[in-house]
């Protein structure tokens, strides 16, 4: 399946026909669309020319039209003629949508005697059935046919962006311009070209049928050349200037009208058989109206003649009736019925189309995909390089600021280390802290001394209480003084208690001596003592 259906954007649109090459450009505007470019270059066609000469004539016409239009765009949109297209409408069963492509490939393989690698194919889902299935238009073409047109583009240094089918392109434009109407009737488009005639039928607003007939305008030219024994080029000139479809009046028609009428009768017979075939198909219906396009539609009296032969209303299309035409596209007004296919090809470059077919060969699809991936990776690498290039200066500036900040911190650390080593350089807060520490230590020493004194004070209380309790109950003994001393560590002095205290009492004898003073009673050894007196 073609995977590149969307072809909007700047494209060169080329309708490469059997007798002319047309270049078309549509531009979207606020009011709708404008035909900004339209050029046409005739191709000298002669049945006596071999295939190589025809190819050279096409290349020359293509080169001239590109030069005259001054179009520089490389990507091109072109169409494959109807006689090279296989097309069928099929109703598919209700299946998941992702399986539709596989079913289409199978259906086409059953109908075409070529392998899938030899054909370019695509499909368009036209509608959903009441049962949940799909109404699908399947289209295929041999790769060899597409590649011949691609080689022609390469000679003009152009590459294909989309490969449409000419009958579908014509249908898309007439659908866009409103030629089918909105009544849902069965309408047929008959495109009378140089070598073939394409038929497209729409019913109930939907694409239904297409067929290509091997009868065209060149057959009329050949008949004139043979009948009047003239060259093909001269017969073509006579046909365009004086040719007309037979009126039914022998005096008016003359020999020329009879010759042209013979070919048109064969053409109308083929058209009638195609209508009958479609009518016999499931869902088919009688054709109610015919719209003529193509170079053959310019033949005088063609619409009345076909109306009589087909038995339905026939009229020539007016494809540019509601289209704004720019100064560089006025040539389209000379023969607008010949521009329908080119307009349909150009339509897909500016908006969505009803039948979007793209018959790009699988090989070219893969090549373009790989090329796009290469471009993608190249752009990704270029973007990465630009990002790195933009980051490096910023990162360098950040690194410079970081280095400056680091150096400043290093200088501060060196200054701090120097202050720590040199006492003279000790900061003022550090000196104040040292003074406070010294004051705290001094106060702590005073507190410890007071704690020791308090502990010593508690030590004497039990002894004083004991002394007080040892006094005689009748009294007469009192304490006159208390003194302390350190007790020696000598063994002979350890007979007393842990601290020594001594006391004496005044007990005068008859001789008037103080016995207490003489005896000097000792408690606790020769340490400290207390002296006492006894009252009379």
């Amino acid at each position: 399946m073609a995977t590149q259906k969307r072809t909007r954007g700047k494209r060169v649109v080329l309708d490469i026909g059997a007798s002319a090459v047309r270049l078309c450009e549509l531009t979207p505007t606020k009011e709708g669309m404008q035909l900004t470019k339209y050029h046409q270059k005739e191709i000298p066609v002669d049945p006596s020319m071999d295939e190589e000469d025809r190819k050279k004539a096409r290349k020359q016409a293509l080169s001239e039209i590109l030069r005259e239009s001054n179009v520089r765009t490389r990507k091109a949109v072109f169409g494959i003629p109807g006689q090279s297209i296989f097309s069928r409408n099929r109703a598919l069963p209700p299946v998941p949508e992702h399986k539709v492509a596989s079913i289409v490939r199978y259906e086409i393989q059953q109908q075409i005697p070529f392998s899938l690698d030899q054909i370019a194919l695509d499909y368009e889902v036209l509608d959903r059935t009441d049962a949940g299935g799909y109404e699908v238009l399947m289209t295929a073409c041999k790769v060899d046919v597409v590649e011949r047109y691609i080689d022609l583009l390469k000679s003009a240094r152009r590459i294909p962006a989309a490969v449409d089918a000419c009958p579908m392109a014509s249908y898309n434009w007439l659908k866009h311009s409103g030629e089918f109407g909105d009544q849902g009737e069965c309408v047929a488009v008959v495109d009378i070209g140089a070598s073939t005639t394409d038929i497209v039928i729409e019913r109930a607003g939907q694409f239904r049928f297409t067929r290509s007939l091997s009868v065209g305008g060149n057959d009329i030219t050949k008949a004139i050349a043979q009948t009047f024994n003239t060259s093909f080029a001269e017969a073509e000139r006579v046909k365009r200037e004086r040719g007309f479809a037979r009126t039914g009046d022998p005096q008016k028609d003359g020999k020329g009208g009879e010759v042209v009428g013979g070919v048109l009768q064969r053409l109308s017979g083929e058209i009638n058989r195609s209508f009958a075939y479609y009518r016999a198909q499931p869902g088919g219906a009688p054709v109610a109206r015919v719209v003529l396009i193509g170079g053959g539609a310019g033949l005088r009296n063609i619409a009345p003649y076909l109306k009589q032969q087909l038995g339905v209303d026939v009229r020539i299309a007016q494809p540019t009736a509601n289209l704004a035409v720019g100064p560089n596209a006025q040539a389209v007004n000379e023969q607008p019925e010949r521009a329908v296919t080119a307009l349909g090809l150009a339509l897909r470059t500016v908006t969505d189309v009803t039948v979007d077919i793209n018959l790009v060969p699988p090989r070219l699809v893969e090549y373009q995909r790989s090329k796009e991936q290469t471009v993608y990776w190249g752009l990704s690498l270029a973007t990465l390089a630009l990002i790195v290039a933009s980051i490096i200066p910023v990162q360098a500036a950040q690194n410079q600021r970081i280095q400056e900040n680091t150096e400043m911190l290093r200088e501060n650390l060196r200054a701090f280390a120097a202050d720590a080593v040199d006492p003279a350089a000790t900061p003022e807060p550090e000196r104040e802290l040292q003074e406070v520490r010294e004051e705290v230590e001094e106060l702590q020493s005073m507190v410890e001394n007071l704690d020791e004194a308090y502990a010593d004070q508690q030590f004497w209380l039990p002894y004083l209480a004991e002394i007080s309790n040892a006094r005689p109950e009748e009294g007469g003994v009192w304490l006159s003084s208390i003194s302390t001393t350190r007790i020696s560590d000598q063994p002979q002095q350890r007979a007393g208690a842990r601290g020594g205290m001594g006391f004496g009492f005044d007990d005068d004898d008859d001789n008037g001596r103080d016995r207490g003073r003489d005896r000097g009673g000792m408690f606790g050894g020769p340490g400290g003592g207390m002296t006492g007196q006894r009252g009379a």
Side-chain angles (χ1 to χ4, degrees):
M1 301 298 160
T3 58
Q4 302 175 347
K5 285 197 171 186
R6 290 191 177 275
T7 51
R8 296 186 194 178
K10 196 69 174 178
R11 301 288 188 270
V12 53
V13 176
L14 297 169
D15 176 20
I16 306 173
S19 61
V21 176
R22 299 172 186 88
L23 184 147
C24 183
E25 181 180 88
L26 282 176
T27 303
T29 63
K30 294 181 179 179
E31 292 76 18
M33 296 182 188
Q34 183 182 30
L35 183 63
T36 51
K37 286 186 179 181
Y38 183 83
H39 297 268
Q40 177 173 300
K41 183 64 63 174
E42 296 289 337
I43 300 175
V45 178
D46 193 325
S48 61
M49 295 174 62
D50 58 17
E51 186 60 30
E52 189 63 28
D53 291 336
R54 289 194 183 97
K55 186 183 297 184
K56 289 181 180 179
R58 282 187 174 184
K59 287 183 179 180
Q60 184 177 356
L62 179 60
S63 176
E64 290 177 0
I65 200 171
L66 288 172
R67 184 174 63 253
E68 291 175 3
S69 62
N70 195 28
V71 174
R72 304 296 182 185
T73 307
R74 293 199 61 206
K75 293 185 177 181
V77 176
F78 66 96
I80 302 297
Q83 75 267 25
S84 301
I85 298 294
F86 166 83
S87 180
R88 289 289 186 275
N89 283 54
R90 283 287 183 270
L92 303 185
V95 295
E97 191 171 353
H98 68 274
K99 293 186 177 181
V100 173
S102 299
I103 297 176
V104 168
R105 292 172 67 91
Y106 174 79
E107 289 285 342
I108 290 180
Q109 196 169 20
Q110 298 303 310
Q111 308 248 358
I112 298 180
F114 303 106
S115 60
L116 290 177
D117 60 347
Q118 293 180 309
I119 59 176
L121 59 95
D122 199 2
Y123 71 93
E124 178 77 8
V125 176
L126 301 175
D127 198 4
R128 298 295 297 268
T129 63
D130 296 336
Y134 302 87
E135 286 285 346
V136 176
L137 170 64
M138 304 181 298
T139 307
C141 179
K142 284 199 68 177
V143 171
D144 295 345
V145 175
V146 181
E147 288 185 342
R148 285 201 295 268
Y149 284 87
I150 293 176
D151 291 340
L152 188 62
L153 290 178
K154 287 182 179 179
S155 66
R157 298 181 180 180
R158 298 297 187 274
I159 58 176
V163 181
D164 206 338
C166 290
M168 285 66 172
S170 300
Y171 171 81
N172 285 331
W173 180 257
L174 295 177
K175 185 74 172 176
H176 171 76
S177 61
E179 287 286 351
F180 291 99
D182 54 1
Q183 302 300 318
E185 57 185 342
C186 188
V187 181
V189 176
V190 177
D191 183 359
I192 306 175
S195 58
T196 60
T197 296
D198 294 329
I199 300 173
V200 175
I201 297 178
E202 180 194 87
R203 185 178 66 82
Q206 183 175 306
F207 187 100
R208 299 288 182 177
F209 176 81
T210 181
R211 171 175 281 185
S212 183
L213 308 176
S214 58
V215 181
N218 287 345
D219 292 282
I220 298 176
T221 306
K222 290 178 185 178
I224 294 174
Q226 292 174 359
T227 302
F228 294 99
N229 193 23
T230 184
S231 66
F232 186 88
E234 179 63 19
E236 179 69 18
R237 185 188 64 79
V238 170
K239 181 188 72 173
R240 294 189 181 190
E241 294 179 358
R242 295 184 290 171
F244 60 91
R246 191 167 52 188
T247 64
D249 185 352
Q251 293 183 353
K252 291 183 178 179
D253 295 340
K255 193 173 182 180
E258 184 179 348
V259 171
V260 174
V263 177
L264 291 181
Q265 188 173 3
R266 181 158 56 98
L267 175 63
S268 60
E270 293 290 339
I271 295 173
N272 268 323
R273 280 189 287 273
S274 298
F275 289 174
Y277 174 81
Y278 167 72
R279 186 170 59 249
Q281 297 300 307
V287 173
R289 182 161 53 89
V290 172
V291 178
L292 294 180
I293 62 173
L299 188 67
R300 294 176 180 85
N301 200 47
I302 184 66
Y305 175 82
L306 289 179
K307 179 179 180 179
Q308 181 184 8
Q309 296 295 316
L310 303 177
V312 296
D313 181 45
V314 178
R315 71 183 191 87
I316 300 174
Q318 301 296 322
T320 60
N322 299 316
L323 179 65
V325 179
N328 294 328
Q330 292 299 319
V332 74
N333 294 322
E334 297 176 5
Q335 293 177 311
E337 64 276 0
R338 302 182 70 182
V340 176
T341 301
L343 291 171
L345 294 172
L347 183 64
R348 65 184 298 150
T349 66
V350 294
T351 187
D352 292 335
V353 293
T354 305
V355 178
D356 192 355
I357 294 296
N358 194 351
L359 298 174
V360 176
R363 174 185 60 81
L364 188 58
V365 172
E366 293 299 324
Y367 172 75
Q368 290 180 349
R369 183 181 293 115
S370 62
K371 187 175 181 180
E372 288 176 358
Q373 290 177 351
T374 303
V375 173
Y376 168 77
W377 284 111
L379 291 176
S380 299
L381 292 175
T383 303
L384 180 60
L386 291 175
I387 292 174
V388 172
S390 62
I391 289 177
I392 287 176
V394 176
Q395 192 64 35
Q398 291 179 351
N399 292 340
Q400 181 65 27
R401 289 194 295 270
I402 292 172
Q403 290 178 358
E404 293 175 356
N405 293 336
T406 303
E407 186 63 28
M408 182 178 66
L409 291 174
R410 285 176 179 172
E411 292 178 358
N412 293 337
L413 287 174
R414 285 194 293 268
F416 179 80
D419 293 343
V421 173
D422 186 6
T426 302
E428 184 65 24
E430 190 68 24
R431 289 195 296 271
E432 292 178 357
L433 180 60
Q434 185 64 28
E435 292 176 359
V436 172
R437 287 175 178 172
E438 293 175 356
E439 291 178 1
V440 170
E441 292 176 357
E442 184 177 353
L443 293 174
Q444 187 174 0
S445 177
M446 294 175 63
V447 170
E448 290 176 354
N449 292 335
L450 291 174
D451 288 341
E452 292 178 359
Y454 178 76
D456 291 343
Q457 178 185 7
Q458 295 293 327
F459 172 76
W460 291 104
L461 290 177
Y463 290 98
L464 293 175
E466 188 67 26
I467 293 172
S468 177
N469 293 333
R471 290 183 304 164
E473 295 181 357
E474 63 275 11
V477 179
W478 67 92
L479 298 179
S480 62
S481 65
I482 298 175
S483 64
T484 63
T485 185
R486 183 176 298 278
I487 300 174
S488 175
D489 291 336
Q490 298 297 325
Q492 62 272 17
Q493 295 177 347
R494 294 179 181 172
R498 50 184 291 194
M501 289 193 300
F503 69 91
F505 55 88
D506 189 4
D507 189 8
D508 294 337
D509 58 13
D510 295 339
N511 295 323
R513 292 185 295 223
D514 189 353
R515 292 186 296 173
R517 190 183 303 275
D518 293 340
R519 287 187 284 186
M522 300 296 295
F523 288 85
M530 294 185 285
T531 60
Q533 294 181 351
R534 182 178 182 182

